Amino acid sequence: MQEPWDVRQLSKLGEALREARYQFVTPTNATIRRVNGRDPHARARQAVDIFGWGRPMDGAQDAEATPWLARVIETGLARQEQGQWRTPLRAATLGAHLLFHTSGPGAARDAVFFGPDSYRFVRALRCELASRPVHCAKALDLGCGAGAGAITLAALYPRAEVVATDINGKALRLASLNAALAGAPNVITRHSDLYDDTGGGYDLIVANPPFIADPDGRAYRDGGEDDGLGVSRRIVEGALERLAPGGALMLYTGVAISGGRDPLRDHVEQHIGGRAAFHYAEIDPDIFGDLLATEAYRHADRIAAVWLVVRKPSM
C-alpha cells in the first residue's frame, strides 16, 4: 500500500532542511519522552522541535515554525488534532547526511527506525572498513530501514552497486528518498525478507537488524524467537552462501547475556567456525537496561551491543 505522502514535496522539504543547516542527533525514545516531559505544553517553534523532538505545531502561534508547518502539510504527512498539528515524520542527521524516518515514542508497527543503534552501527562499520579495507563492487544492506548503512557504503564505494532491502515498504520508500538526498544514485532498494530475494556474489553484507523480544511484534524492533536473536541468527546462517570469495559480513546487533553466556557467539562458533575467519566483540556491554524489568528478560543479566565480522576465504 502506498503511503499518503507526496514524494516531490518530501524531497523539497529535505532540501529546505539541508539549506537551513538542520542538525539533530536522534536519541532514545526514553530521552525524547523525558526532554519533552519537562514542559508537556511546549509547542514547536523551529524545525528541530518538529522533526527532531516531535512536538506539536500551532501555525498561529509562532512565525518561525509556520513555514515548516506549511511544508509538512504539503507532503501529506500532517494531521490536526484538537487545534494542533502533528506529524509522524522525523529527520536525523548522520554526518553530512539527512535521513527521514518515522520512529519515536508511540511509533506504529511499521515505523522506520533511526536512533542510537544506527549511530553505533555506522561508526563500527566505518572503523572496520578504515582498519581493514575491502574491495567492493557489490554490497547488500539487509533490513536497511531508513538507509543509514546503504548510504554510508554508497559514499565509501561510489562505483559499487549497493542493494538495500527491507520487508517494510515504507522503509524502502524513505531509504530511496534519503539516498537521493544524499546524492547516492548507486543505492538500489528491493523488497525482501532477509536473503529471500537478494541473490548472491556480494563483497559486503551489512546489517543492523531488530534484536528485541517485542511482545507487540513491531517489525523495526522485534528480533523474533530466542530473546530477539532469531533474525540475527538467520543473517549469520545465510551469509557465506551469498558472499563472494573474500567477501565479508558485518553485523551490529544486541544479545541478552544470561549467566555470562552469549548465545549469539555460541551460534557463530558452531555455524561459522572452521569455515571462515570471524571477529566478535562487545562494543557496549549494557544497553536497553529498562527491558530487564520486563517479563521477556527476567532471566537476563544484561543486553550487550555486539559487532561481528565474518570474512569468507578467497578460495
Side-chain angles (χ1 to χ4, degrees):
M1 184 176 74
Q2 293 295 314
E3 294 301 319
W5 62 53
D6 185 314
V7 174
R8 185 175 63 87
Q9 293 296 337
L10 195 52
S11 179
K12 288 172 63 177
L13 173 60
E15 295 291 352
L17 286 169
R18 293 205 310 179
E19 289 174 8
R21 299 186 178 182
Y22 175 91
Q23 291 286 324
F24 187 76
V25 175
T26 302
T28 64
N29 289 344
T31 292
I32 292 174
R33 280 192 292 264
R34 291 185 184 114
V35 171
N36 285 341
R38 294 170 183 167
D39 183 359
H41 303 293
R43 299 294 175 262
R45 296 186 177 276
Q46 53 189 339
V48 72
D49 296 331
I50 302 169
F51 305 110
W53 297 109
R55 293 168 184 157
M57 298 164 276
D58 181 351
Q61 182 185 36
D62 192 274
E64 187 177 356
T66 301
W68 295 112
L69 171 58
R71 289 182 179 274
V72 175
I73 292 173
E74 287 173 350
T75 68
L77 284 168
R79 63 182 185 275
Q80 195 169 21
E81 299 175 357
Q82 298 179 337
Q84 299 172 2
W85 289 90
R86 293 183 178 273
T87 178
L89 187 66
R90 301 288 182 269
T93 46
L94 178 66
H97 303 307
L98 182 143
L99 289 88
F100 284 121
H101 62 100
T102 64
S103 54
R109 291 174 63 90
D110 63 347
V112 182
F113 174 79
F114 193 93
D117 282 319
S118 308
Y119 292 106
R120 294 189 192 102
F121 166 50
V122 169
R123 185 184 306 115
L125 179 60
R126 284 186 171 276
C127 288
E128 187 71 37
L129 291 172
S131 63
R132 294 194 63 182
V134 173
H135 168 77
C136 183
K138 187 179 181 182
L140 172 64
D141 181 5
L142 280 175
C144 65
I151 291 168
T152 298
L153 292 180
L156 292 172
Y157 302 101
R159 296 185 178 180
E161 175 186 292
V162 180
V163 180
T165 69
D166 209 290
I167 59 171
N168 182 351
K170 182 186 292 183
L172 293 174
R173 290 188 285 278
L174 282 183
S176 180
L177 174 64
N178 290 334
L181 288 170
N186 52 329
V187 172
I188 302 166
T189 56
R190 183 180 302 166
H191 189 277
S192 179
D193 183 357
L194 295 184
Y195 295 113
D196 285 356
D197 299 295
T198 61
Y202 293 99
D203 301 300
L204 268 176
I205 298 175
V206 304
N208 171 21
F211 55 78
I212 299 299
D214 182 26
D216 296 325
R218 290 167 289 185
Y220 73 94
R221 183 175 172 87
D222 186 24
E225 68 277 8
D226 299 327
D227 300 331
L229 205 57
V231 174
S232 297
R233 281 177 170 166
R234 287 175 59 196
I235 290 172
V236 170
E237 292 166 2
L240 291 180
E241 180 183 347
R242 275 82 178 184
L243 285 170
L249 164 70
M250 299 183 182
L251 171 68
Y252 168 91
T253 191
V255 185
I257 308 295
S258 181
R261 176 176 170 267
D262 182 334
L264 181 59
R265 186 183 184 99
D266 292 345
H267 187 75
V268 171
E269 289 178 345
Q270 179 182 3
H271 193 82
I272 300 294
R275 303 172 62 203
F278 72 88
H279 170 72
Y280 187 100
E282 286 191 15
I283 59 176
D284 193 326
D286 185 12
I287 60 173
F288 293 103
D290 57 315
L291 291 177
L292 299 181
T294 66
E295 185 63 32
Y297 288 97
R298 289 179 64 86
H299 64 287
D301 302 324
R302 58 191 174 90
I303 301 172
V306 302
W307 180 244
L308 168 67
V309 180
V310 176
R311 298 182 183 271
K312 184 173 180 176
S314 298
M315 297 294 293

